[in-house]
Amino acid sequence: MWKGSWFRTQQNAPPWLAKSFVGKLGGAVDFEKLEEEIVKGGMLMVKVRNLGDDLALVSPAEGVVMEDIVKSNAGWFNNIFSSIKPWSEGREANHRVVWVRCYGVPLQCWSEDCFTKVIGELYKTASLVLVDALTLSWDVVEYARMKVRLGNDGSANMTRKVMINKLLCNILMEEEFAGVDGGGHCAYQWCDGSSDSVSSSETYVEESFFSGKSGLEKARVLDGEEG
């Protein structure tokens, strides 16, 4: 029996929600490319909303039955989603995918292997999804930029002392957030963090031999852990 905080509130679900489906995006498409795929596939009879992590809420247009759309366009849905099921209560994402900026990792150690270990040491429930190509090519060296999958129960902002090889490093992580610039376009900025959201401790990472070749390769997607 749940002994934590609880309360009752009035439910206010719109009618279209009960008619919607929840799709789990496959590895070939992320949410940023989903709108383009909808236009290319002629799927303008559906509206897609980001539900968090790799989940998308797919809603039919007025007068359209979602089950019929999925059946008649099975090929398209199978290419986009690894699974798609009717929406139900409690079908929410328990992870989120965010861009973070990482300060303090020595340049000579920049590699996917190193960043994977840093993420694993700093967060309890997180995994590295993608390293920005400009980071792996050393075109931007002020900070390392990467995409991580985090549990909803923690903050991405933190600072921690980490021993990489035999060098003690002060690692600072800051989460980027999407905003709207003066022209009405989506632009990514970063949170400056506060004392309430920053944790500190010491840990040790044994870094493997650094290979310069990884810095010349394009960023690739790493498998994330399921929530």
Side-chain angles (χ1 to χ4, degrees):
M1 178 181 296
W2 173 250
K3 296 182 179 180
S5 300
W6 71 278
F7 59 87
R8 295 185 183 276
T9 186
Q10 181 179 358
Q11 297 194 83
N12 188 33
W16 55 261
L17 183 57
K19 303 175 183 178
S20 301
F21 274 44
V22 174
K24 184 179 179 62
L25 291 170
V29 178
D30 59 20
F31 197 84
E32 296 173 356
K33 298 179 180 178
L34 186 53
E35 184 176 351
E36 177 183 346
E37 292 297 329
I38 288 175
V39 175
K40 289 168 55 178
M43 302 297 295
L44 301 181
M45 74 290 291
V46 300
K47 181 175 182 178
V48 179
R49 300 172 176 86
N50 191 342
L51 196 56
D53 197 4
D54 55 359
L55 300 181
L57 185 66
V58 188
S59 306
E62 185 69 26
V64 178
V65 179
M66 194 67 217
E67 289 88 344
D68 295 341
I69 299 176
V70 173
K71 289 180 181 178
S72 59
N73 298 275
W76 185 87
F77 280 96
N78 290 336
N79 287 333
I80 302 298
F81 302 104
S82 60
S83 67
I84 184 164
K85 301 177 181 179
W87 174 86
S88 61
E89 292 185 12
R91 189 75 167 100
E92 310 293 342
N94 54 17
H95 283 70
R96 58 195 178 98
V97 177
V98 299
W99 282 101
V100 298
R101 297 184 180 186
C102 176
Y103 299 84
V105 176
L107 289 179
Q108 70 271 20
C109 296
W110 280 27
S111 68
E112 290 180 354
D113 178 66
C114 178
F115 295 135
T116 298
K117 291 177 179 177
V118 168
I119 295 300
E121 290 291 333
L122 266 61
Y123 302 107
K124 293 181 179 179
T125 56
S127 59
L128 180 64
V129 176
L130 178 73
V131 180
D132 194 298
L134 295 179
T135 294
L136 290 179
S137 62
W138 290 286
D139 286 324
V140 175
V141 295
E142 178 185 359
Y143 53 81
R145 185 172 186 262
M146 61 193 82
K147 184 183 288 187
V148 298
R149 177 173 285 110
L150 289 168
N152 289 340
D153 56 350
S155 171
N157 298 327
M158 68 169 59
T159 180
R160 181 167 297 178
K161 293 183 183 296
V162 178
M163 185 75 75
I164 301 178
N165 293 341
K166 296 183 179 181
L167 182 64
L168 183 61
C169 305
N170 292 313
I171 306 298
L172 170 64
M173 307 294 292
E174 291 183 342
E175 178 180 348
E176 293 184 349
F177 65 95
V180 178
D181 62 18
H185 303 98
C186 182
Y188 278 93
Q189 303 172 4
W190 63 93
C191 301
D192 56 8
S194 66
S195 59
D196 294 335
S197 62
V198 176
S199 61
S200 177
S201 64
E202 295 186 2
T203 186
Y204 178 86
V205 177
E206 181 61 39
E207 178 57 65
S208 61
F209 178 76
F210 174 71
S211 172
K213 293 183 179 180
S214 63
L216 302 178
E217 298 172 347
K218 293 182 179 180
R220 62 181 176 81
V221 176
L222 302 179
D223 291 334
E225 298 177 357
E226 291 293 331

